[in-house]
Amino acid sequence: MLRQVLDYLPPYRAPYAEPCTGLLRLDHNENPEPVPDFIREALGEAAGEVSRYPDPRHTRLKESLSGYTGLGAEHISVGSGASEILDTLCKISLEPLDRVVTPSPAYGMYSFLAMVHGASPDFVKTRWPRFEAKPRDILRAAEGARVIFLCSPNNPTGQAMPRGDIERVAEEFPGLVVVDEAYIEFGGKTVAPRVGDLENLVVVRSLSKFLGLAGLRVGYALASPRVAEALEKVRLPFNVSGPAQHVARVALEHLDHYRGARERIVRERERLRRALGAIPVLKAAPSEANFLLVRQRGKRPLYEELERAGIVVREMSGVVGLEGGRYLRITVGTPEENDRLIAALRRLFHNRNNNRKKKETGFTPP
């Protein structure tokens, strides 16, 4: 009755499905800045729309996105978050038994969606700390494949792929090249201008990260008119609510506010990376996103210890491409949140060192 592939697909499970008072959530790469007043006002303005179906063509939102990206509306398709865009791209491109290739480690949704649509995922392994994926290695692995997924800046590593490398892959690969730019506003150079002359190139973006609208679920694709039209044909009607469309348009009218927030997040990212590097057993990889991938020496369950201290980070150990080590992905929070994380880590390792010295010498250091 049900497809056999469902026996092998684990459901998505967030560590905490509901907001938890007192917990510091640094596990979802959300924008830590407070919701600005103009967004709260826009939500109130949109309240009267909830009894009506939204614009199924996203006309005014596409106009706003066109102004933001510099690409015409014929290049844009809007979805309920970047995840829906990725799913729809699989619908229009994959047949059963096709192959999908992505560098690893990478966002797990690529391989998940490939399997849901009957395709098989293959990976191009990269290495700590730069996680570089060479175009020749990607193209070699993708011989005979249908789709290549690239993430730049990459989740969970934080590295951006050089624009020239992405362009080479798209120029030489005959299938679809999907570039996930959910974190592009925090670093890296976009390849979006090339969708005008590379018909197989699709750029996927989110309004969740830079604009802090994760709860409204708005994403979009930038593609050739042919691919954008195919996405529009296949996506569900009324897929983005009227309030979400309205608030997204208002957010795009206040880019100076978000650029200021981005600068604060980037400064905090570098401060947090230095502070983590000062703890002897931790090392954070360079990042051009709003999070850090942290490698931990030893097998200590640091994720669980932080959770007991009221701080939630994402455990990444065992993810494809991160086997054989202990890894955490940590969202960059506000200065106060980052200070709380740093203090908790210092306490954990200070207490551990003191306990070890007491065990070895019978003396507890002051």
Side-chain angles (χ1 to χ4, degrees):
M1 183 175 70
L2 299 179
R3 295 173 60 207
Q4 189 174 0
V5 69
L6 297 178
D7 295 334
Y8 304 97
L9 291 174
Y12 179 81
R13 287 192 177 95
Y16 296 91
E18 300 292 337
C20 299
T21 303
L23 276 182
L24 173 53
R25 299 295 300 271
L26 300 176
D27 57 327
H28 278 320
N29 299 343
E30 296 154 325
N31 190 315
E33 296 269 322
V35 177
D37 289 341
F38 58 82
I39 293 297
R40 296 181 184 275
E41 292 170 6
L43 283 167
E45 294 165 358
E49 300 179 24
V50 298
S51 63
R52 303 294 181 182
Y53 285 109
D55 173 12
R57 294 178 294 276
H58 317 116
T59 306
R60 297 181 67 190
L61 178 53
K62 285 182 180 178
E63 290 174 358
S64 297
L65 289 168
S66 179
Y68 179 56
T69 64
L71 293 167
E74 70 275 12
H75 291 281
I76 300 172
S77 180
V78 180
S80 179
S83 297
E84 188 197 30
I85 295 285
L86 293 170
D87 184 47
T88 309
L89 283 165
C90 289
K91 288 179 182 177
I92 67 171
S93 62
L94 292 178
E95 302 283 359
L97 305 182
D98 279 341
R99 289 174 54 244
V100 167
V101 171
T102 185
S104 71
Y107 183 38
M109 192 61 68
Y110 309 143
S111 55
F112 176 87
L113 291 174
M115 294 174 67
V116 166
H117 290 279
S120 61
D122 285 336
F123 303 98
V124 179
K125 294 289 185 71
T126 61
R127 292 187 176 184
W128 170 278
R130 288 289 176 182
F131 298 102
E132 294 176 286
K134 299 295 184 183
R136 64 175 181 272
D137 297 328
I138 297 171
L139 290 165
R140 186 181 303 117
E143 289 182 8
R146 183 64 68 93
V147 178
I148 294 174
F149 282 106
L150 303 174
C151 190
S152 181
N154 185 42
N155 177 15
T157 68
Q159 275 81 45
M161 193 171 176
R163 175 174 168 171
D165 288 356
I166 297 174
E167 291 173 333
R168 179 183 165 188
V169 171
E171 288 165 354
E172 297 186 23
F173 181 64
L176 206 63
V177 177
V178 179
V179 184
D180 184 344
E181 289 189 349
Y183 301 94
I184 196 66
E185 286 92 350
F186 296 102
K189 293 183 178 180
T190 181
V191 293
R194 295 300 308 276
V195 303
D197 61 283
L198 289 172
E199 192 172 76
N200 66 330
L201 178 65
V202 182
V203 171
V204 179
R205 291 187 181 169
S206 169
L207 273 63
S208 298
K209 313 302 182 181
F210 174 56
L211 297 182
L213 302 181
L216 291 180
R217 311 308 304 133
V218 183
Y220 61 100
L222 302 171
S224 68
R226 181 187 176 195
V227 173
E229 182 182 13
L231 288 169
E232 293 290 283
K233 285 181 181 179
V234 172
R235 67 167 174 79
L236 295 174
F238 309 115
N239 60 333
V240 180
S241 73
Q245 293 186 46
H246 176 70
V247 174
R249 289 191 293 106
V250 170
L252 290 165
E253 294 171 358
H254 292 81
L255 291 174
D256 285 345
H257 168 86
Y258 292 106
R259 289 174 181 134
R262 173 186 60 199
E263 296 309 311
R264 291 189 289 274
I265 292 168
V266 169
R267 284 197 301 270
E268 278 299 295
R269 179 187 71 201
E270 297 309 308
R271 183 177 77 91
L272 181 59
R273 183 168 178 253
R274 291 192 298 270
L276 294 174
I279 297 173
V281 299
L282 301 179
K283 183 72 173 178
S287 174
E288 295 188 66
N290 67 333
F291 58 84
L292 293 167
L293 181 68
V294 180
R295 185 171 68 173
Q296 171 198 343
R297 287 207 312 267
K299 297 183 178 181
R300 184 179 181 185
L302 191 54
Y303 165 80
E304 296 175 5
E305 294 182 65
L306 284 172
E307 185 178 334
R308 286 194 288 271
I311 301 172
V312 183
V313 298
R314 182 60 66 92
E315 169 68 63
M316 302 302 296
S317 306
V319 168
V320 175
L322 294 177
E323 303 93 342
R326 297 302 296 251
Y327 294 88
L328 303 172
R329 194 194 66 196
I330 301 176
T331 306
V332 178
T334 64
E336 296 76 18
E337 290 171 338
N338 296 330
D339 286 342
R340 180 177 165 186
L341 169 68
I342 293 164
L345 287 168
R346 287 173 176 167
R347 282 196 302 272
L348 288 173
F349 286 101
H350 177 74
N351 291 341
R352 184 188 187 202
N353 290 338
N354 283 352
N355 290 339
R356 186 179 69 247
K357 290 178 181 178
K358 181 179 180 180
K359 183 176 180 180
E360 293 172 351
T361 63
F363 171 72
T364 302

